[in-house]
């Protein structure tokens, strides 16, 4: 509770520090406009046109439905990998044999290109929600699993001894000694897992479904509707930036205050 | 009678013999120090006595009602600030939060930390500050037996003297028993009733020195005189491989 208050209290200062980022984004938009003047509207529509299209899209009920579909798939997929990945990762970390056994599996999961998973999932599940959700899970699960595994594997034996010597009761051992360390590994893994989930959900939708913003992107491509395609890209990047910089980063800062 | 007794203790790490045939005992109210060369197995011995390591061969009986340990490296929780680190042992004993915090603040001030340091994380503390926090964390629980592993090694002479004075007061009032390790002969002479000399490879006790004057009566002359005397001792010269000139 105290913690949540502190995050909110530090929030304005954090936002203020974002001016540099905003300047960079504006500079980027300036270059984008320059690109438009050189290559023409078909290849690269101007930022103004893109944002106009974006505005129209955001007032279009159908598009909102597509966005909701995508959000639904991404959150189910990410939520499941967060839950399963964290739990299995912690368990694997606590047992040496389990962590050894899980290594090759993780290597396969990480090493296999998502596109290959999509093909397999299409064969297994057909063209629908399951395919997309499955691909999202397969892509973000290993990241979270490895984070949780490393968090548990790297627990400091010296601190465990210290906790023993002061006879800390189990709940103090867990909340004061183990949890902060493990969380400092798991939380960043959640963040990368989320980024991964968001990217993969679009890709899977583009290839395997006829709904969601991934599919809208596919339609825009077939109609050579570049402004719509770019507007969708802006939605994707904008939402990711919002989650990452407005929600996650302030939490991460407070959580990792004690780090060097 | 609370008592720590070590009998015929041997210890190995892998195939290396670290400790061999260690025997000593520590009664309530006594201060026992162990000096010896680096890598001689002092920390290992202390960890065995404190039940942090499992005894392999021999016997250790500890009937002290409570104990606390100040480690050679501070071993603070990196995600807790100074006060929360110090109050850890108090909270573990089930004392309530506000009282623990108050006690922690009092002892922190007594140990030369300032209010500015209270909220700092260990990463923002100096080596000597960390050591004081670790020492405070052990002492604040008022243990019957205190294990100290070179508690003053990172402190300047002024601070060292201040903290020693705090310990001496507790020793003279018979509030505490201490088993401690040091590299500093003068510190051992100033604080302990019995000083054991631990020779390396494998660690075994070669000599025992007793100091009969009460700790608060030991002035600098006594300490310097004893040091000079002990530095002439054959076993000390051998153990530390001191060159005579
Ligand atoms: N966990 C361990 N595994 C293997 N060897 C160890 C372990 N801990 C200590 N040793 C070895 O035991 C020997 C004694 O170590 P110890 O830490 O007890 O020395 P020490 O007397 O405390 O030295 P110092 O004065 O430098 O602190 C060293 O040779 C060290 O390498
Ligand atoms: Mg040592």
């Amino acid at each position: 509770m105290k913690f949540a208050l502190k995050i909110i209290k530090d929030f304005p200062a954090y936002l203020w520090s974002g001016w540099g980022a905003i300047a960079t984004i504006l500079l980027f938009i300036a270059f984008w406009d320059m690109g438009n003047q050189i290559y023409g509207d078909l290849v690269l529509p101007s930022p103004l046109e893109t944002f106009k299209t974006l505005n129209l899209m955001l007032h279009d009920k159908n598009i909102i439905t597509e966005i909701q579909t995508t959000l639904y798939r991404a959150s189910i997929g990410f939520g499941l990998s967060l839950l399963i990945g964290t739990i299995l990762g912690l368990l694997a970390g606590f047992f040496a044999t389990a962590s050894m056994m899980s290594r090759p599996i993780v290597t396969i999961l990480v090493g296999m290109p998502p596109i290959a998973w999509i093909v397999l999932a299409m064969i297994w599940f057909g063209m629908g929600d399951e395919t997309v959700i499955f691909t999202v899970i397969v892509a973000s699960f290993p990241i979270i699993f490895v984070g949780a595994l490393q968090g548990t594997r790297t627990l400091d034996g010296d601190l465990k001894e210290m906790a023993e010597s002061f006879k800390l009761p189990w709940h103090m051992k867990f909340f004061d000694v183990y949890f902060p360390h493990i969380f400092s590994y798991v939380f960043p893994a959640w963040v990368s897992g989320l980024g991964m989930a968001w990217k993969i959900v679009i890709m899977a939708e583009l290839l395997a479904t006829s709904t969601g913003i991934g599919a809208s992107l596919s339609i825009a491509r077939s109609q050579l509707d570049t402004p719509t395609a770019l507007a969708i890209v802006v939605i994707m990047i904008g939402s990711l930036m919002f989650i990452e910089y407005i929600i996650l980063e302030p939490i991460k800062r407070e959580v990792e205050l004690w780090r060097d | 009678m609370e008592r720590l007794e070590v009998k015929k203790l041997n210890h190995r790490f892998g195939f290396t013999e670290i400790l061999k045939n260690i025997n000593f005992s520590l009664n309530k109210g006594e201060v026992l120090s162990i000096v010896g060369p680096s890598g001689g197995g002092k920390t290992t011995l202390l960890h065995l006595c404190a039940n942090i390591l499992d005894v392999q061969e021999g016997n250790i009986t500890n009937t002290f009602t409570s104990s606390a340990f100040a480690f050679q490296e501070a071993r603070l929780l990196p995600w807790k600030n100074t006060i929360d680190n110090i109050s850890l042992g108090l909270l573990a004993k089930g004392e309530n939060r506000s009282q623990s915090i108050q006690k922690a603040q009092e002892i922190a001030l007594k140990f030369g930390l300032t209010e500015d340091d209270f909220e700092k994380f260990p990463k923002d503390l100096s080596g000597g500050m960390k050591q004081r926090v670790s020492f405070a964390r052990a002492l604040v629980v008022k243990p019957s037996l205190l294990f100290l592993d070179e508690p003053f090694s990172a402190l300047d002479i002024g601070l060292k003297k201040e903290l020693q004075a705090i310990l001496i007061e507790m020793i003279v009032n018979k509030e505490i028993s201490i088993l401690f390790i040091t590299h500093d002969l003068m510190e051992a002479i100033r604080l302990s009733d019995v000083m054991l000399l631990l020779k390396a490879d494998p660690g075994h006790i070669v000599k025992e020195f007793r100091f009969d004057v009460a700790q608060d009566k030991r002035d600098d002359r006594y300490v310097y005189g004893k040091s000079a005397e002990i530095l002439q001792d054959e076993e000390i010269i051998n153990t530390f491989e001191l060159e005579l000139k």
Side-chain angles (χ1 to χ4, degrees):
Chain A
M1 193 58 221
K2 203 175 91 187
F3 194 68
L5 272 179
K6 186 143 189 323
I7 292 178
I8 294 166
K9 205 183 81 206
D10 290 347
F11 193 65
Y14 169 69
L15 272 191
W16 186 251
S17 71
W19 281 117
I22 291 172
T24 316
I25 292 173
L26 291 178
L27 190 70
F28 173 76
I29 291 176
F31 276 114
W32 175 1
D33 199 64
M34 224 163 77
N36 162 256
Q37 285 166 28
I38 297 170
Y39 295 106
D41 281 345
L42 185 63
V43 177
L44 190 66
S46 72
L48 186 66
E49 198 190 336
T50 306
F51 285 111
K52 270 186 186 155
T53 318
L54 177 65
N55 189 28
L56 279 181
M57 281 169 72
L58 291 180
H59 287 95
D60 182 343
K61 255 217 205 98
N62 293 329
I63 296 289
I64 298 294
T65 322
E66 304 292 358
I67 294 177
Q68 278 167 349
T69 308
T70 304
L71 275 180
Y72 165 76
R73 289 167 178 161
S75 29
I76 296 280
F78 175 69
L80 282 176
S81 14
L82 185 144
L83 209 70
I84 306 171
T86 310
I87 293 174
L88 289 186
L90 293 181
L91 284 178
F94 278 119
F95 303 104
T97 351
S99 77
M100 248 154 59
M101 276 166 56
S102 65
R103 272 192 59 181
I105 301 173
V106 169
T107 314
I108 293 172
L109 288 182
V110 175
M112 187 135 156
I115 197 86
W117 283 117
I118 295 178
V119 171
L120 285 178
M122 278 159 70
I123 297 171
W124 293 337
F125 304 110
M127 315 282 272
D129 281 355
E130 294 93 342
T131 300
V132 180
I133 293 173
F134 173 80
T135 319
V136 169
I137 293 178
V138 168
S140 59
F141 166 82
I143 301 177
I144 295 171
F145 178 84
V146 168
L149 176 83
Q150 279 181 342
T152 353
R153 294 300 297 162
T154 51
L155 278 173
D156 188 348
D158 285 359
L159 291 182
K160 279 192 205 166
E161 284 178 2
M162 186 279 291
E164 287 293 333
S165 82
F166 280 98
K167 304 199 175 64
L168 296 199
W170 70 267
H171 65 272
M172 279 184 77
K173 250 188 228 169
F174 181 75
F175 286 109
D176 295 337
V177 183
Y178 299 157
F179 179 76
H181 176 89
I182 294 174
F183 193 69
S184 74
Y185 278 79
V186 171
F187 189 75
W190 288 351
V191 176
S192 346
L194 183 65
M196 181 59 105
W198 195 231
K199 272 182 269 184
I200 294 297
V201 76
I202 308 279
M203 188 166 97
E205 279 178 349
L206 191 142
L207 293 167
T209 62
S210 50
T211 50
I213 30 182
S216 312
L217 195 62
S218 170
I219 294 165
R221 183 202 64 96
S222 63
Q223 297 173 346
L224 280 184
D225 185 356
T226 344
T228 307
L230 271 183
I232 292 174
V233 171
V234 171
I235 293 179
M236 278 153 39
I237 296 178
S239 51
L240 195 62
M241 283 176 93
F242 175 79
I243 294 176
E244 178 122 28
Y245 289 105
I246 306 293
I247 301 179
L248 296 177
E249 185 69 22
I251 300 178
K252 193 163 154 227
R253 280 181 181 223
E254 294 301 332
V255 170
E256 299 200 330
L257 214 53
W258 52 271
R259 290 220 151 170
D260 287 319
Chain B
M1 184 70 170
E2 294 173 61
R3 184 176 161 84
L4 174 78
E5 186 153 15
V6 178
K7 270 190 193 154
K8 295 196 184 140
L9 182 73
N10 296 319
H11 197 82
R12 294 166 179 278
F13 282 124
F15 291 110
T16 346
E17 221 175 4
I18 305 291
L19 294 172
K20 194 175 176 183
N21 195 21
I22 307 284
N23 296 286
F24 67 84
S25 63
L26 170 68
N27 292 322
K28 189 172 168 60
E30 272 184 356
V31 181
L32 194 140
S33 62
I34 299 167
V35 295
S38 182
K42 304 183 295 297
T43 299
T44 310
L45 177 56
L46 205 63
H47 283 189
L48 285 165
C49 291
N51 203 12
I52 291 168
L53 278 175
D54 289 329
V55 175
Q56 297 170 343
E57 243 181 87
N59 249 314
I60 295 180
T61 8
N62 181 355
T63 55
F64 280 96
T65 48
S66 61
S67 65
F69 204 113
F71 294 88
Q72 188 164 7
E73 339 78 47
R75 300 200 186 179
L76 305 177
L77 294 174
W79 41 82
K80 288 199 171 277
N81 67 26
T82 301
I83 292 302
D84 289 340
N85 261 299
I86 296 179
S87 51
L88 194 72
L90 292 171
L91 293 173
K93 279 205 319 188
E95 293 206 20
N96 74 39
R97 247 200 106 65
S98 59
Q99 218 171 17
S100 305
I101 287 177
Q102 192 180 349
K103 281 187 187 173
Q105 287 178 345
E106 273 165 25
I107 198 164
L109 291 174
K110 204 164 140 192
F111 278 25
L113 297 160
T114 59
E115 273 178 40
D116 287 344
D117 304 326
F118 286 2
E119 299 275 300
K120 282 185 188 160
F121 289 106
K123 72 175 165 88
D124 297 323
L125 296 173
S126 74
M129 285 167 161
K130 278 187 244 183
Q131 211 173 33
R132 275 176 279 163
V133 173
S134 160
F135 186 27
R137 178 177 66 187
L139 202 61
V140 79
V141 296
K142 295 217 159 59
S144 175
L145 173 60
L146 183 61
F147 295 102
L148 300 175
D149 196 344
E150 299 183 33
F152 308 123
S153 58
L155 303 183
D156 65 64
I157 32 178
L159 273 170
K160 219 183 235 193
K161 257 206 141 136
E162 262 176 54
L163 294 197
Q164 285 171 358
I166 295 172
L167 276 187
I168 287 174
E169 196 188 316
M170 296 176 75
I171 295 166
V172 171
N173 295 335
K174 298 279 174 212
E175 288 168 22
I176 199 163
S177 322
I178 306 176
L179 178 57
F180 85 105
I181 291 175
T182 177
H183 276 142
D184 183 347
L185 264 185
M186 295 218 268
E187 185 171 291
I189 294 168
R190 203 181 294 277
L191 294 177
S192 50
D193 299 307
V194 180
M195 176 174 102
L196 301 178
L197 180 59
L198 191 80
K199 196 170 171 175
D201 291 325
H204 58 291
I205 294 168
V206 287
K207 191 152 184 173
E208 180 184 310
F209 301 86
R210 287 194 166 267
F211 310 106
D212 293 328
V213 183
Q215 275 83 351
D216 56 344
K217 303 279 181 320
R218 297 178 193 172
D219 54 7
D220 286 349
R221 274 224 354 239
Y222 176 85
V223 174
Y224 294 138
K226 274 281 179 205
S227 311
E229 186 183 312
I230 286 175
L231 280 171
Q232 300 296 320
D233 188 282
E234 194 87 24
E235 294 288 3
I236 291 269
I237 292 169
N238 275 335
T239 305
F240 288 99
E241 290 166 6
L242 299 173
E243 287 282 337
L244 278 188
K245 289 209 172 144

